[in-house]
Amino acid sequence: MKNLLGMTMEELKLFAVEMGEKPFRGKQIYNWLNQGARSFDEMTNLPKTLREKLKAEAQIGGCRAIRMQEDKGDGTCKILFEADTPASGTPADTFEGVFMRYSYGNSLCVSSQIGCKMGCKFCASALGGFVRNLDAGEMLGQVLEAERVTGCTISRIVIMGMGEPFDNYENVAKFLRLLHAEEGRNMSWRNMTVSTSGLIPGIQRFAEDFPQVNLAISLHRLTNEGRSRIMPVNQKYSLGQLLEAARDYTDKTHRRITFEYALIEGENDTDKDVELMIKKLGGMLCHVNLIPLNKVDETGFSGSSRKRAHEIAERLENAGIPATVRRQLGSEIDGACGQLRLRQQATEAHTSKRRSAEHSDQI
Ligand code: SAH
């Protein structure tokens, strides 16, 4: 069965023709999908016979919000999604998004995979292992579904949810193009950010394909040995090679790179670590985003205090490296990637029977 969500307007016009229809039917379907239609019955300007045919031959394969947690303080909303076409129908088919309100517009943190292969030691997404890639329709579905459940428009996305986007490059690229499509959401490239743990071939390809989309690199340590210890990806793409790739990226695109640095108490927040940051990042076209680690009990790591984070930011700034401490969004709601899913799995293990009742309560 064809998944129509995630198709471009051109692809949908072709699909309509393949079904023996006029191309403009494809355009109508495209418009409905982009407005968040979840069933063919909603597409009231299509003849009933065509709607029936579509039901038999195609599907709208996005995702559905099955659980939401709102931080009453800042309005951040963590959403647990379930794919419309689950592989197994188990909680393993769930993934997360975070809806964030900013003065300049609403943003959604999107997942690119169910689970993750990268195995970062402090990250909840790594704990359950890797399940599968999400396709472009399932990524677009997160945006549409988040708009439906929050009632708000999303004008920015960051691919910083579960998964490693450059380990699923083709689908992520298609998703970005769909967001940008003039006839679709017409989202500006500059309102999109992709975050990578450091897959160098992906960074190089991205510089060619999407020079205007923001790039973030999860750095977290500035010694090769230390980074390998908490981020196994560093054993393949070393810190030295990664910083060189980052320099090539900024030379090529003239775009400032964001380095994410999750502050882990005693692990990477000492004065020595700050000196290394200044030494290695000084002079680069970059910005450092300091994020006190969200505690994930299972990993054994704790975050630095916000006071320490601000001290480090000030030292970086004084050394000429732009730095910010990430606003603490949704810390009350298991805001770090993979945490809500982890909670859901733990709850499911105890109360699997109550699941369907719980869904209807929460949405
Ligand atoms: N795989 C990509 C994108 C997903 S993670 C990447 O690694 O960049 C998005 C960011 O959240 C990354 O910087 C990741 O290292 C960070 N992160 C993971 N677990 C975290 C936690 N418990 N607290 C704070 N940041 C975390």
Side-chain angles (χ1 to χ4, degrees), residues 157-195:
I157 62 104
V158 294
I159 308 189
M160 292 189 187
M162 296 184 88
E164 166 50 50
F166 290 164
D167 185 37
N168 184 18
Y169 192 95
E170 297 297 341
N171 286 317
V172 166
K174 185 156 196 202
F175 169 54
L176 298 178
R177 292 192 178 106
L178 281 171
L179 291 173
H180 184 67
E182 212 174 317
E183 64 276 14
R185 301 184 68 90
N186 201 9
M187 190 184 282
S188 135
W189 294 126
R190 303 214 171 192
N191 284 0
M192 309 174 197
T193 301
V194 175
S195 174

Side-chain angles (χ1 to χ4, degrees), residues 72 82 330:
K72 297 281 181 260
E82 184 168 63

Side-chain angles (χ1 to χ4, degrees), residues 70-325:
E70 189 170 356
D71 185 313
K72 297 281 181 260
D74 60 22
T76 298
C77 197
K78 184 102 187 186
I79 306 169
L80 189 68
F81 296 108
E82 184 168 63
D84 281 333
T85 50
S88 62
T90 70
D93 293 307
T94 57
F95 45 97
E96 307 181 359
V98 186
F99 172 82
M100 295 164 284
R101 296 170 206 270
Y102 290 100
S103 53
Y104 46 76
N106 301 316
S107 177
L108 186 73
C109 175
V110 174
S111 288
S112 55
Q113 297 178 317
I114 302 184
C116 187
K117 293 181 205 159
M118 298 300 118
C120 299
K121 297 285 186 271
F122 46 84
C123 179
S125 297
L127 291 169
F130 175 74
V131 180
R132 69 172 173 89
N133 285 333
L134 292 172
D135 67 22
E138 289 168 325
M139 288 183 242
L140 183 62
Q142 293 171 56
V143 179
L144 296 168
E145 181 70 349
E147 287 187 331
R148 186 180 75 82
V149 295
T150 61
C152 300
T153 306
I154 290 166
S155 55
R156 295 168 177 263
I157 62 104
V158 294
I159 308 189
M160 292 189 187
M162 296 184 88
E164 166 50 50
F166 290 164
D167 185 37
N168 184 18
Y169 192 95
E170 297 297 341
N171 286 317
V172 166
K174 185 156 196 202
F175 169 54
L176 298 178
R177 292 192 178 106
L178 281 171
L179 291 173
H180 184 67
E182 212 174 317
E183 64 276 14
R185 301 184 68 90
N186 201 9
M187 190 184 282
S188 135
W189 294 126
R190 303 214 171 192
N191 284 0
M192 309 174 197
T193 301
V194 175
S195 174
T196 180
S197 58
L199 298 187
I200 293 176
I203 296 173
Q204 292 163 337
R205 211 171 152 192
F206 190 70
E208 290 282 339
D209 295 346
F210 299 100
Q212 295 197 70
V213 175
N214 305 300
L215 177 67
I217 296 181
S218 298
L219 212 48
H220 306 327
R221 281 298 311 243
L222 280 151
T223 63
N224 199 45
E225 182 272 327
R227 192 167 188 271
S228 286
R229 197 148 32 84
I230 56 170
M231 299 181 73
V233 62
N234 196 70
Q235 290 158 21
K236 182 153 189 201
Y237 301 109
S238 72
L239 179 68
Q241 291 169 323
L242 180 59
L243 291 178
E244 204 177 301
R247 273 190 208 96
D248 289 346
Y249 173 88
T250 54
D251 285 349
K252 190 168 201 142
T253 61
H254 308 291
R255 300 292 312 284
R256 187 178 295 275
I257 226 166
T258 296
F259 288 121
E260 287 156 279
Y261 198 95
L263 289 166
I264 310 174
E265 194 178 35
E267 169 75 25
N268 65 359
D269 68 347
T270 65
D271 287 347
K272 219 169 148 206
D273 291 307
V274 183
E275 279 157 28
L276 262 179
M277 274 203 242
I278 294 171
K279 190 166 151 216
K280 297 207 173 174
L281 305 182
M284 283 181 81
L285 184 58
C286 73
H287 164 259
V288 176
N289 196 10
L290 299 164
I291 315 149
L293 190 85
N294 273 346
K295 192 165 170 42
V296 179
D297 289 337
E298 292 80 350
T299 65
F301 290 113
S302 307
S304 317
S305 66
R306 287 194 75 75
K307 181 170 167 276
R308 180 66 184 148
H310 284 287
E311 268 167 31
I312 295 176
E314 201 181 320
R315 284 192 57 191
L316 293 176
E317 286 278 347
N318 288 342
I321 302 172
T324 42
V325 179

